[in-house]
Every structure is written in structure tokens, then in C-alpha cells.
Amino acid sequence: MFAQVLGQTTKGIDGEMILVEADVSNGLPNFDLVGLPAMAVRESKERVKAALRNSDYPFPMTKITVNLAPADLRKEGSGLDLPIAIGLLCCSRIIKQEKLNGKVFVGELSLDGCIRKVSGVLSMIIDAKRCGAKEIFIPQANAAEGKLIHGIDVYTAATLTEIVEHLLDNKKLIPLPKENIMQNKQRIYHVDFADVKGQLVARRALEIAAAGGHSILMVGAPGCGKTMLARRLVTILPPMTESEALEVTKIYSIVGMLSQTDSIMLERPFRSPHHSVSGSALLGGGSTPRPGEVTLSHNGVLFLDELPEFDRATLEMLRQPLEDGEVSISRVRGNMTFPSRIILVAAANPCPCGFLGDSRHICSCKQRDIDNYRRKISGPLLDRIDMQINLARVEFGDLKNKTAGESSDVIRQRVVKAREIQQRRLEPWGMHCNAQMGRSEVVKYCSLDDKAQAVLEKYFNILNLSARSHDRILKVARTIADLASCENIQATHIAEAVTLRTSTGR
């Protein structure tokens, strides 16, 4: 007997349709699983055998061959247990082949026939819909993800028996109700920009970063508030759109970091890896490439505290994602491209002791040590960071001031208004903010009058800026103009953008 069942696995952050072909023929009892299965998939033979027996279904004691097509794609994960078991039941004539048409099955089987949660189900549902499937069966523990995608019926089951009874029309399962993805946009944060005392320049720079999606480096002595400011950036970012929320949710589903209580990621990610992080953990990697911290920060914030303490080779890997908005990883088993449209927020001390230029402490570092410390951050990487600002010490007068500063809600209203302007302007090119503009968009939307052009030319020659710095200054100036609801970039916008990029003197 021969049977065909549709299953799903993942490739990168996307789902991949797998055709499970099962053949039961005369011969000595043997179970062959072919089609480039990884170790977890190979072990499915034992799980399927025990699950069928413990669910009171016969296991064919003959020659069994299961092929996973396409054969040249390496199959990862344990989600193919369920379609293999269904295929064997079809070969045993318990289930008819026509009952499986247009249906996709995903799930890991326990030895007693229960169906366990698997990672990446959201990507699998999206791909199944794209391939024209009408129904998909997933583990009950993945139900939250199953409610998000319209246009395909999603069924959940706790055991193999429940699915078989459904296919036999004995006890029908009910498809999951669909959920309005953006029904709950209420965001609750435990931090707020109203808590920040002083640091007016840093607050302004972070508002610009949020409005235009720009990267920023903050340099200052220990205790001046770099980390405090960075952690509040997400509170002023605009809400994610439906497509952005699905992109982020897919990523977290793939890596198994999506909680059972949250059906979708509505909050923009904030990731803060330790400076001991490896290149593979930051950018992604492994024998079969997996997303790293940069991709986990997609559509959100990646905060790198104590930037010079990171391994220099690891930091240099950030050049591509900052430039292109994606990470390309090549391995023997395949090439993967992961999205990485992030706001990079980096923090650094001005010197090894941290007190260079401080008004209260004397720096104890030698000039040679200061130069070596600063050289840990390469020029090409700094050139890709839009804004680079110095933070001064917070004085006691600022701390005792009981007057609250602007709240995150007030700042976010201005940010959202500026983003709406950018969205209307850049939507035809599939962009969301000014930081994503390429050279052609910069030329088209960042034109300057004679006065603004003269200011930019003056700073360009005095500071010996690069062509990349020139374009990034224009992007920041465009965002400053959008915050002011100005159609044209003015000389004051250029001057502020230059100041925010060059105030560290690096």
C-alpha cells in the first residue's frame, strides 16, 4: 500500500511544505526513513511506532519505507511525526487517501499518542495557505498561533486519536476561531521618559531615532543614564503594523520563544545581549543557520551596552545588517537570509576608566590606553551609526527637581505623526522610515535649498566626512524636518543632524 500526506517543516524563518510518502510492502520487518532527515526526524520512527501501538492502532510488521520530499532539503525538527503516523494509518487502510487531500499535518508525537508543541507553527500555517492547502492540523499547545491566519481552517488536537476520529467522521473537530490580530493595542510599560532627569540632548536624539528608525551611539561616564535612556526607547516607538507584528511573531515562533499565553508579538522587541556574546549568537548561525540577536531585534531595538567590550570581530559583523537590513549566512547545509531592520542603540564609556572629560573625576588613563580603547570600535562601523552623542553628568539640581519631564506618551505622539508622514512618502517602495532609504530615495526626498546646501558643504569639508556620512546626515535631517512637519529640509535641520553625528569627536 502507498499513501501521501502533506507535512510542514521550517527553512530559516519560513515554512516549507513536505510531501510524506509512505509505502508498506511485503518483506522482513524494517522501517526506512529517507529524504535527508536530521537526527530528530530519524528518531521519529520509534516515536511513531510507540504512539500507534499505545493508541490501539496497528503498526505494520512488514517492510516500511517513508520518503520525505523534496529529498534534497534537510528536514529539521520533530513536527513530521504526525504526518508519518497518518501515512502509515492510510497504508493500513484505516484512513482513506481521499480524506487527506488538501490537508496538512504538523506535530510531535509522544510515546502514548499525545501531540506535543512544535516551534515555527505560524510560519508553517502561512506557507500551507500559500501552497493552497484548505486545512491544517496542529498541536493544541500551538492554538494561539493558529488563530492568527485567515483563509485556512486550523484544527488543534491533543492526541493522535482525536485526529483519526475526525478523519473517520466519528467525532468532528471544530476549526479555531480567527482572532483580530490588532484587537489589543494597549501597551503597558513599567518605565517612562518622565523618569529621566536632565539629558535634554539625549532625549532629543532618541526621539529622532524613534521617528526615523536611526541608529545611535551614546558616550558618557558611568552613571550618566545611558542604559536608563536606552531601555525607554521602546516606549516611544510607534505601534507595529499587522505585517510587522506577524514578521516578529514568526521569528519568535521559529526559535521557540513565543509564550503560550501570547498569540502574537504586539510589542516591539528590545534585546540586550551581554558583551561576551559570540558572533553566531549575535548574527545567527549553527550548522543549520538559526536567527541570532540581530534578527530577534527585527522591527525593534538592539541595545549593545559597553560597546568597546564586545569582541571586535563580532562587532564588524554588524556592518551588513546596518547597511542592508538583513543578515545573510552561508553554511555547507544551506544559505539563509534573515531580516534585521533594527534600531541599534550602543553605549560606551569615553575611556577605560570611564571618566575622561568628567566634571567631578579625574581620568587616570594614559593617552595610549584611550586610543587603544577607542580603536576597538572601527571607523567603518562608526560610519554606519547615524547619531553619535556625548552624555554629560547629571547634576544634583536636576535630580532634586520634582517637575516631571515629558512623558513617553507625549513624545510618542510626535513620533507617530512623523512616521505617518514617512509612511505616505515611502510606501510605494515598501519602506517604513527614513533610515531605510537608499541612495535614490535620498536624492529624491532630501533635496536642499542653497542655504542648507552651503551649511552641509561647510561641515563636510571641515570634518572630512565620507559619502556614507553625507547620506546619513541627510536622512537624519529629513527626520528632523518631519518631526517639525516641514516639507523641505532647512539649514537648521542640517546643522542639528551634523551636531548629533559628530559631537563625540570619534
Short mmCIF file of all heavy atoms in Angstrom, two decimals, residues 344-404:
data_model
loop_
_atom_site.label_atom_id
_atom_site.label_comp_id
_atom_site.label_asym_id
_atom_site.label_seq_id
_atom_site.Cartn_x
_atom_site.Cartn_y
_atom_site.Cartn_z
N LEU A 344 19.73 50.25 16.19
CA LEU A 344 20.88 49.92 17.04
C LEU A 344 21.11 51.06 18.02
O LEU A 344 21.29 52.22 17.61
CB LEU A 344 22.13 49.69 16.19
CG LEU A 344 23.43 49.49 16.98
CD1 LEU A 344 23.37 48.18 17.77
CD2 LEU A 344 24.64 49.51 16.07
N VAL A 345 21.09 50.72 19.29
CA VAL A 345 21.44 51.68 20.34
C VAL A 345 22.68 51.14 21.04
O VAL A 345 22.63 50.05 21.62
CB VAL A 345 20.29 51.88 21.34
CG1 VAL A 345 20.69 52.88 22.41
CG2 VAL A 345 19.03 52.35 20.62
N ALA A 346 23.76 51.88 20.96
CA ALA A 346 25.02 51.44 21.58
C ALA A 346 25.42 52.45 22.64
O ALA A 346 25.15 53.65 22.54
CB ALA A 346 26.11 51.32 20.52
N ALA A 347 26.08 51.93 23.69
CA ALA A 347 26.56 52.79 24.77
C ALA A 347 28.02 52.47 25.03
O ALA A 347 28.43 51.31 24.95
CB ALA A 347 25.72 52.58 26.03
N ALA A 348 28.79 53.50 25.34
CA ALA A 348 30.22 53.30 25.58
C ALA A 348 30.73 54.33 26.57
O ALA A 348 30.19 55.44 26.67
CB ALA A 348 31.00 53.39 24.27
N ASN A 349 31.77 53.97 27.29
CA ASN A 349 32.48 54.93 28.12
C ASN A 349 33.48 55.69 27.25
O ASN A 349 33.93 55.19 26.22
CB ASN A 349 33.22 54.22 29.25
CG ASN A 349 32.26 53.59 30.26
OD1 ASN A 349 31.18 54.12 30.51
ND2 ASN A 349 32.65 52.47 30.84
N PRO A 350 33.88 56.90 27.65
CA PRO A 350 34.83 57.66 26.83
C PRO A 350 36.26 57.13 26.91
O PRO A 350 37.09 57.46 26.05
CB PRO A 350 34.72 59.08 27.38
CG PRO A 350 34.26 58.90 28.79
CD PRO A 350 33.38 57.70 28.79
N CYS A 351 36.57 56.33 27.92
CA CYS A 351 37.92 55.81 28.10
C CYS A 351 37.82 54.57 28.98
O CYS A 351 36.75 54.25 29.52
CB CYS A 351 38.81 56.87 28.74
SG CYS A 351 38.29 57.31 30.41
N PRO A 352 38.92 53.82 29.19
CA PRO A 352 38.84 52.61 30.02
C PRO A 352 38.35 52.85 31.44
O PRO A 352 37.58 52.05 31.98
CB PRO A 352 40.28 52.10 30.02
CG PRO A 352 40.85 52.58 28.73
CD PRO A 352 40.22 53.92 28.50
N CYS A 353 38.76 53.94 32.07
CA CYS A 353 38.28 54.20 33.44
C CYS A 353 36.89 54.81 33.44
O CYS A 353 36.19 54.75 34.45
CB CYS A 353 39.27 55.09 34.20
SG CYS A 353 39.19 56.85 33.77
N GLY A 354 36.53 55.44 32.34
CA GLY A 354 35.17 55.96 32.18
C GLY A 354 35.00 57.42 32.51
O GLY A 354 33.91 57.96 32.35
N PHE A 355 36.06 58.12 32.95
CA PHE A 355 35.87 59.48 33.45
C PHE A 355 36.58 60.55 32.63
O PHE A 355 36.79 61.66 33.10
CB PHE A 355 36.34 59.56 34.91
CG PHE A 355 35.52 58.71 35.84
CD1 PHE A 355 36.07 57.57 36.41
CD2 PHE A 355 34.20 59.03 36.11
CE1 PHE A 355 35.31 56.78 37.26
CE2 PHE A 355 33.44 58.24 36.95
CZ PHE A 355 33.99 57.12 37.53
N LEU A 356 36.93 60.25 31.40
CA LEU A 356 37.54 61.26 30.54
C LEU A 356 36.53 62.39 30.28
O LEU A 356 35.42 62.15 29.83
CB LEU A 356 37.96 60.64 29.21
CG LEU A 356 38.60 61.59 28.19
CD1 LEU A 356 39.93 62.12 28.72
CD2 LEU A 356 38.80 60.91 26.85
N GLY A 357 36.92 63.62 30.61
CA GLY A 357 36.05 64.77 30.40
C GLY A 357 35.00 64.96 31.48
O GLY A 357 34.18 65.86 31.37
N ASP A 358 35.03 64.12 32.53
CA ASP A 358 34.03 64.24 33.60
C ASP A 358 34.35 65.44 34.47
O ASP A 358 35.53 65.76 34.75
CB ASP A 358 34.01 62.97 34.44
CG ASP A 358 32.87 62.96 35.44
OD1 ASP A 358 31.72 62.77 35.01
OD2 ASP A 358 33.13 63.15 36.64
N SER A 359 33.31 66.14 34.91
CA SER A 359 33.50 67.36 35.69
C SER A 359 33.85 67.08 37.15
O SER A 359 34.29 68.00 37.85
CB SER A 359 32.23 68.22 35.62
OG SER A 359 31.11 67.50 36.14
N ARG A 360 33.68 65.86 37.63
CA ARG A 360 33.89 65.56 39.04
C ARG A 360 35.06 64.60 39.28
O ARG A 360 35.59 64.56 40.38
CB ARG A 360 32.62 64.95 39.63
CG ARG A 360 31.40 65.84 39.55
CD ARG A 360 31.52 67.06 40.44
NE ARG A 360 30.35 67.92 40.37
CZ ARG A 360 29.25 67.75 41.10
NH1 ARG A 360 29.18 66.74 41.94
NH2 ARG A 360 28.24 68.59 40.98
N HIS A 361 35.44 63.83 38.29
CA HIS A 361 36.50 62.84 38.47
C HIS A 361 37.64 63.13 37.49
O HIS A 361 37.42 63.65 36.40
CB HIS A 361 35.98 61.43 38.24
CG HIS A 361 34.95 60.98 39.23
ND1 HIS A 361 33.62 61.30 39.10
CD2 HIS A 361 35.07 60.26 40.37
CE1 HIS A 361 32.95 60.79 40.12
NE2 HIS A 361 33.80 60.14 40.91
N ILE A 362 38.83 62.76 37.90
CA ILE A 362 40.00 62.92 37.04
C ILE A 362 40.27 61.59 36.34
O ILE A 362 40.33 60.54 36.98
CB ILE A 362 41.23 63.35 37.86
CG1 ILE A 362 40.96 64.70 38.53
CG2 ILE A 362 42.47 63.40 36.98
CD1 ILE A 362 42.08 65.16 39.45
N CYS A 363 40.43 61.65 35.05
CA CYS A 363 40.71 60.44 34.27
C CYS A 363 42.11 59.94 34.59
O CYS A 363 43.08 60.72 34.59
CB CYS A 363 40.58 60.74 32.78
SG CYS A 363 41.05 59.37 31.71
N SER A 364 42.26 58.65 34.86
CA SER A 364 43.55 58.05 35.21
C SER A 364 44.19 57.31 34.05
O SER A 364 45.19 56.63 34.22
CB SER A 364 43.35 57.08 36.39
OG SER A 364 42.44 56.05 36.04
N CYS A 365 43.60 57.42 32.87
CA CYS A 365 44.08 56.65 31.71
C CYS A 365 45.19 57.40 30.97
O CYS A 365 45.16 58.63 30.86
CB CYS A 365 42.92 56.38 30.73
SG CYS A 365 41.53 55.51 31.46
N LYS A 366 46.13 56.67 30.44
CA LYS A 366 47.15 57.23 29.57
C LYS A 366 46.56 57.39 28.18
O LYS A 366 45.65 56.67 27.78
CB LYS A 366 48.37 56.33 29.53
CG LYS A 366 49.06 56.18 30.89
CD LYS A 366 50.26 55.24 30.77
CE LYS A 366 50.95 55.10 32.13
NZ LYS A 366 52.11 54.17 32.05
N GLN A 367 47.11 58.33 27.42
CA GLN A 367 46.59 58.60 26.10
C GLN A 367 46.66 57.36 25.21
O GLN A 367 45.76 57.11 24.40
CB GLN A 367 47.36 59.74 25.44
CG GLN A 367 46.78 60.21 24.11
CD GLN A 367 45.35 60.72 24.26
OE1 GLN A 367 45.04 61.47 25.20
NE2 GLN A 367 44.47 60.30 23.36
N ARG A 368 47.72 56.58 25.39
CA ARG A 368 47.84 55.35 24.60
C ARG A 368 46.69 54.40 24.89
O ARG A 368 46.14 53.77 23.98
CB ARG A 368 49.18 54.68 24.91
CG ARG A 368 49.43 53.37 24.16
CD ARG A 368 50.67 52.70 24.68
NE ARG A 368 50.56 52.41 26.10
CZ ARG A 368 51.59 52.05 26.90
NH1 ARG A 368 52.80 51.98 26.40
NH2 ARG A 368 51.38 51.80 28.18
N ASP A 369 46.32 54.27 26.18
CA ASP A 369 45.21 53.39 26.55
C ASP A 369 43.88 53.91 26.01
O ASP A 369 43.01 53.12 25.58
CB ASP A 369 45.14 53.25 28.07
CG ASP A 369 46.38 52.60 28.65
OD1 ASP A 369 47.00 51.78 27.94
OD2 ASP A 369 46.73 52.92 29.81
N ILE A 370 43.71 55.23 26.00
CA ILE A 370 42.48 55.81 25.47
C ILE A 370 42.36 55.53 23.97
O ILE A 370 41.30 55.14 23.47
CB ILE A 370 42.44 57.33 25.74
CG1 ILE A 370 42.38 57.59 27.25
CG2 ILE A 370 41.24 57.97 25.04
CD1 ILE A 370 42.50 59.07 27.62
N ASP A 371 43.49 55.72 23.26
CA ASP A 371 43.48 55.47 21.82
C ASP A 371 43.18 54.01 21.51
O ASP A 371 42.41 53.69 20.59
CB ASP A 371 44.83 55.87 21.21
CG ASP A 371 45.06 57.38 21.27
OD1 ASP A 371 44.06 58.11 21.40
OD2 ASP A 371 46.23 57.80 21.18
N ASN A 372 43.81 53.09 22.27
CA ASN A 372 43.56 51.65 22.05
C ASN A 372 42.11 51.29 22.35
O ASN A 372 41.50 50.46 21.67
CB ASN A 372 44.50 50.81 22.92
CG ASN A 372 45.94 50.88 22.46
OD1 ASN A 372 46.21 51.17 21.29
ND2 ASN A 372 46.87 50.63 23.37
N TYR A 373 41.55 51.91 23.39
CA TYR A 373 40.16 51.65 23.76
C TYR A 373 39.21 52.09 22.66
O TYR A 373 38.28 51.37 22.28
CB TYR A 373 39.85 52.39 25.06
CG TYR A 373 38.49 52.12 25.64
CD1 TYR A 373 38.20 50.92 26.27
CD2 TYR A 373 37.48 53.10 25.57
CE1 TYR A 373 36.94 50.68 26.82
CE2 TYR A 373 36.23 52.86 26.11
CZ TYR A 373 35.97 51.66 26.74
OH TYR A 373 34.72 51.43 27.26
N ARG A 374 39.46 53.26 22.09
CA ARG A 374 38.58 53.77 21.04
C ARG A 374 38.75 53.00 19.74
O ARG A 374 37.80 52.90 18.95
CB ARG A 374 38.87 55.26 20.81
CG ARG A 374 38.44 56.14 21.96
CD ARG A 374 38.62 57.60 21.64
NE ARG A 374 38.01 58.44 22.68
CZ ARG A 374 37.97 59.77 22.61
NH1 ARG A 374 38.51 60.41 21.58
NH2 ARG A 374 37.40 60.46 23.57
N ARG A 375 39.94 52.46 19.52
CA ARG A 375 40.16 51.70 18.29
C ARG A 375 39.43 50.37 18.28
O ARG A 375 39.35 49.71 17.24
CB ARG A 375 41.66 51.47 18.07
CG ARG A 375 42.34 52.61 17.33
CD ARG A 375 43.70 52.19 16.80
NE ARG A 375 44.65 51.98 17.88
CZ ARG A 375 45.48 52.92 18.34
NH1 ARG A 375 45.47 54.13 17.80
NH2 ARG A 375 46.32 52.66 19.31
N LYS A 376 38.89 49.95 19.41
CA LYS A 376 38.10 48.71 19.45
C LYS A 376 36.84 48.84 18.60
O LYS A 376 36.26 47.83 18.19
CB LYS A 376 37.73 48.36 20.89
CG LYS A 376 38.92 47.94 21.75
CD LYS A 376 38.47 47.56 23.15
CE LYS A 376 39.65 47.11 24.01
NZ LYS A 376 39.21 46.75 25.39
N ILE A 377 36.41 50.07 18.39
CA ILE A 377 35.26 50.32 17.50
C ILE A 377 35.81 50.89 16.20
O ILE A 377 36.35 51.99 16.18
CB ILE A 377 34.26 51.31 18.13
CG1 ILE A 377 33.90 50.89 19.56
CG2 ILE A 377 32.99 51.40 17.29
CD1 ILE A 377 33.07 51.89 20.30
N SER A 378 35.69 50.14 15.12
CA SER A 378 36.32 50.54 13.87
C SER A 378 35.62 51.73 13.23
O SER A 378 34.42 51.98 13.46
CB SER A 378 36.34 49.36 12.89
OG SER A 378 35.03 49.08 12.43
N GLY A 379 36.36 52.44 12.39
CA GLY A 379 35.79 53.56 11.66
C GLY A 379 34.64 53.17 10.75
O GLY A 379 33.60 53.85 10.72
N PRO A 380 34.77 52.07 9.99
CA PRO A 380 33.65 51.66 9.12
C PRO A 380 32.36 51.37 9.89
O PRO A 380 31.27 51.64 9.38
CB PRO A 380 34.18 50.40 8.43
CG PRO A 380 35.66 50.58 8.43
CD PRO A 380 35.98 51.28 9.71
N LEU A 381 32.48 50.82 11.11
CA LEU A 381 31.27 50.57 11.90
C LEU A 381 30.68 51.88 12.40
O LEU A 381 29.47 52.10 12.33
CB LEU A 381 31.59 49.64 13.07
CG LEU A 381 30.41 49.32 14.00
CD1 LEU A 381 29.27 48.66 13.24
CD2 LEU A 381 30.86 48.44 15.16
N LEU A 382 31.54 52.77 12.90
CA LEU A 382 31.05 54.07 13.37
C LEU A 382 30.38 54.85 12.25
O LEU A 382 29.40 55.56 12.47
CB LEU A 382 32.21 54.89 13.95
CG LEU A 382 32.68 54.53 15.36
CD1 LEU A 382 33.93 55.33 15.70
CD2 LEU A 382 31.59 54.79 16.38
N ASP A 383 30.91 54.70 11.04
CA ASP A 383 30.36 55.41 9.90
C ASP A 383 28.93 55.00 9.60
O ASP A 383 28.17 55.74 8.95
CB ASP A 383 31.25 55.16 8.67
CG ASP A 383 31.20 56.31 7.68
OD1 ASP A 383 30.98 57.45 8.12
OD2 ASP A 383 31.37 56.05 6.48
N ARG A 384 28.55 53.80 10.06
CA ARG A 384 27.19 53.29 9.82
C ARG A 384 26.22 53.62 10.94
O ARG A 384 25.06 53.21 10.89
CB ARG A 384 27.25 51.77 9.61
CG ARG A 384 27.87 51.37 8.28
CD ARG A 384 28.17 49.87 8.25
NE ARG A 384 28.47 49.41 6.90
CZ ARG A 384 29.65 49.53 6.30
NH1 ARG A 384 30.66 50.12 6.94
NH2 ARG A 384 29.85 49.07 5.07
N ILE A 385 26.68 54.32 11.97
CA ILE A 385 25.82 54.73 13.08
C ILE A 385 25.40 56.18 12.85
O ILE A 385 26.24 57.08 12.80
CB ILE A 385 26.53 54.56 14.44
CG1 ILE A 385 26.90 53.09 14.64
CG2 ILE A 385 25.65 55.05 15.57
CD1 ILE A 385 27.66 52.80 15.93
N ASP A 386 24.12 56.43 12.73
CA ASP A 386 23.62 57.73 12.28
C ASP A 386 23.93 58.87 13.24
O ASP A 386 24.27 59.97 12.82
CB ASP A 386 22.10 57.65 12.06
CG ASP A 386 21.72 56.66 10.97
OD1 ASP A 386 22.59 56.37 10.14
OD2 ASP A 386 20.57 56.19 10.96
N MET A 387 23.74 58.62 14.54
CA MET A 387 23.95 59.67 15.53
C MET A 387 24.93 59.20 16.59
O MET A 387 24.85 58.06 17.06
CB MET A 387 22.61 60.07 16.18
CG MET A 387 21.65 60.75 15.22
SD MET A 387 20.10 61.23 16.01
CE MET A 387 19.31 59.63 16.16
N GLN A 388 25.84 60.10 16.98
CA GLN A 388 26.86 59.78 17.97
C GLN A 388 26.97 60.95 18.92
O GLN A 388 27.47 62.01 18.55
CB GLN A 388 28.20 59.49 17.28
CG GLN A 388 28.12 58.37 16.25
CD GLN A 388 29.30 58.32 15.32
OE1 GLN A 388 30.40 58.75 15.68
NE2 GLN A 388 29.10 57.79 14.11
N ILE A 389 26.48 60.78 20.15
CA ILE A 389 26.36 61.91 21.07
C ILE A 389 27.10 61.65 22.37
O ILE A 389 27.31 60.50 22.78
CB ILE A 389 24.87 62.22 21.38
CG1 ILE A 389 24.22 61.02 22.08
CG2 ILE A 389 24.12 62.58 20.11
CD1 ILE A 389 22.82 61.31 22.60
N ASN A 390 27.50 62.75 23.03
CA ASN A 390 28.10 62.69 24.36
C ASN A 390 27.04 62.97 25.40
O ASN A 390 26.19 63.86 25.21
CB ASN A 390 29.22 63.71 24.49
CG ASN A 390 30.55 63.21 23.95
OD1 ASN A 390 30.89 62.04 24.16
ND2 ASN A 390 31.29 64.07 23.27
N LEU A 391 27.09 62.25 26.49
CA LEU A 391 26.19 62.49 27.62
C LEU A 391 27.00 63.06 28.78
O LEU A 391 28.06 62.52 29.14
CB LEU A 391 25.51 61.20 28.07
CG LEU A 391 24.18 60.84 27.39
CD1 LEU A 391 24.43 60.51 25.92
CD2 LEU A 391 23.51 59.66 28.08
N ALA A 392 26.51 64.16 29.34
CA ALA A 392 27.18 64.79 30.48
C ALA A 392 26.64 64.21 31.79
O ALA A 392 25.60 63.55 31.82
CB ALA A 392 26.97 66.30 30.43
N ARG A 393 27.38 64.45 32.85
CA ARG A 393 26.94 64.02 34.19
C ARG A 393 25.64 64.71 34.57
O ARG A 393 25.44 65.90 34.29
CB ARG A 393 28.03 64.36 35.20
CG ARG A 393 27.62 64.17 36.66
CD ARG A 393 28.71 64.58 37.59
NE ARG A 393 29.82 63.64 37.48
CZ ARG A 393 29.87 62.47 38.12
NH1 ARG A 393 28.86 62.10 38.90
NH2 ARG A 393 30.90 61.69 37.99
N VAL A 394 24.74 63.99 35.21
CA VAL A 394 23.50 64.57 35.72
C VAL A 394 23.81 65.26 37.05
O VAL A 394 24.35 64.63 37.98
CB VAL A 394 22.42 63.49 35.91
CG1 VAL A 394 21.14 64.11 36.47
CG2 VAL A 394 22.13 62.78 34.60
N GLU A 395 23.51 66.55 37.14
CA GLU A 395 23.82 67.32 38.35
C GLU A 395 22.73 67.13 39.41
O GLU A 395 21.60 66.72 39.11
CB GLU A 395 23.95 68.80 37.99
CG GLU A 395 25.04 69.10 36.97
CD GLU A 395 26.43 68.74 37.47
OE1 GLU A 395 26.63 68.69 38.71
OE2 GLU A 395 27.33 68.51 36.64
N PHE A 396 23.11 67.47 40.64
CA PHE A 396 22.19 67.28 41.76
C PHE A 396 20.93 68.13 41.60
O PHE A 396 19.83 67.72 41.96
CB PHE A 396 22.88 67.64 43.08
CG PHE A 396 22.00 67.44 44.29
CD1 PHE A 396 21.73 66.18 44.77
CD2 PHE A 396 21.42 68.53 44.93
CE1 PHE A 396 20.91 65.99 45.87
CE2 PHE A 396 20.60 68.36 46.02
CZ PHE A 396 20.34 67.08 46.50
N GLY A 397 21.09 69.31 41.00
CA GLY A 397 19.93 70.17 40.78
C GLY A 397 18.89 69.51 39.89
O GLY A 397 17.68 69.70 40.09
N ASP A 398 19.35 68.72 38.89
CA ASP A 398 18.40 68.01 38.04
C ASP A 398 17.70 66.91 38.81
O ASP A 398 16.50 66.66 38.62
CB ASP A 398 19.14 67.41 36.83
CG ASP A 398 19.71 68.47 35.90
OD1 ASP A 398 19.03 69.49 35.72
OD2 ASP A 398 20.82 68.27 35.39
N LEU A 399 18.44 66.24 39.69
CA LEU A 399 17.86 65.11 40.42
C LEU A 399 16.83 65.56 41.44
O LEU A 399 15.83 64.87 41.68
CB LEU A 399 18.97 64.32 41.12
CG LEU A 399 19.97 63.60 40.20
CD1 LEU A 399 21.08 62.95 41.01
CD2 LEU A 399 19.25 62.53 39.37
N LYS A 400 17.06 66.71 42.06
CA LYS A 400 16.11 67.16 43.10
C LYS A 400 14.89 67.86 42.50
O LYS A 400 13.93 68.14 43.22
CB LYS A 400 16.81 68.07 44.10
CG LYS A 400 17.13 69.46 43.57
CD LYS A 400 17.71 70.34 44.67
CE LYS A 400 17.95 71.78 44.16
NZ LYS A 400 18.49 72.64 45.24
N ASN A 401 14.97 68.15 41.23
CA ASN A 401 13.84 68.81 40.56
C ASN A 401 12.65 67.85 40.51
O ASN A 401 12.72 66.77 39.93
CB ASN A 401 14.25 69.23 39.14
CG ASN A 401 13.17 70.04 38.45
OD1 ASN A 401 12.10 70.29 39.01
ND2 ASN A 401 13.46 70.47 37.23
N LYS A 402 11.56 68.22 41.12
CA LYS A 402 10.37 67.36 41.20
C LYS A 402 9.48 67.46 39.96
O LYS A 402 8.55 66.67 39.80
CB LYS A 402 9.54 67.74 42.44
CG LYS A 402 10.29 67.61 43.75
CD LYS A 402 10.77 66.17 43.99
CE LYS A 402 11.47 66.04 45.34
NZ LYS A 402 11.98 64.66 45.56
N THR A 403 9.77 68.41 39.09
CA THR A 403 8.95 68.56 37.90
C THR A 403 9.24 67.43 36.92
O THR A 403 10.39 67.21 36.53
CB THR A 403 9.24 69.91 37.21
OG1 THR A 403 9.02 70.97 38.15
CG2 THR A 403 8.33 70.10 36.00
N ALA A 404 8.20 66.70 36.55
CA ALA A 404 8.39 65.58 35.62
C ALA A 404 8.60 66.10 34.21
O ALA A 404 8.00 67.10 33.79
CB ALA A 404 7.16 64.66 35.66
#
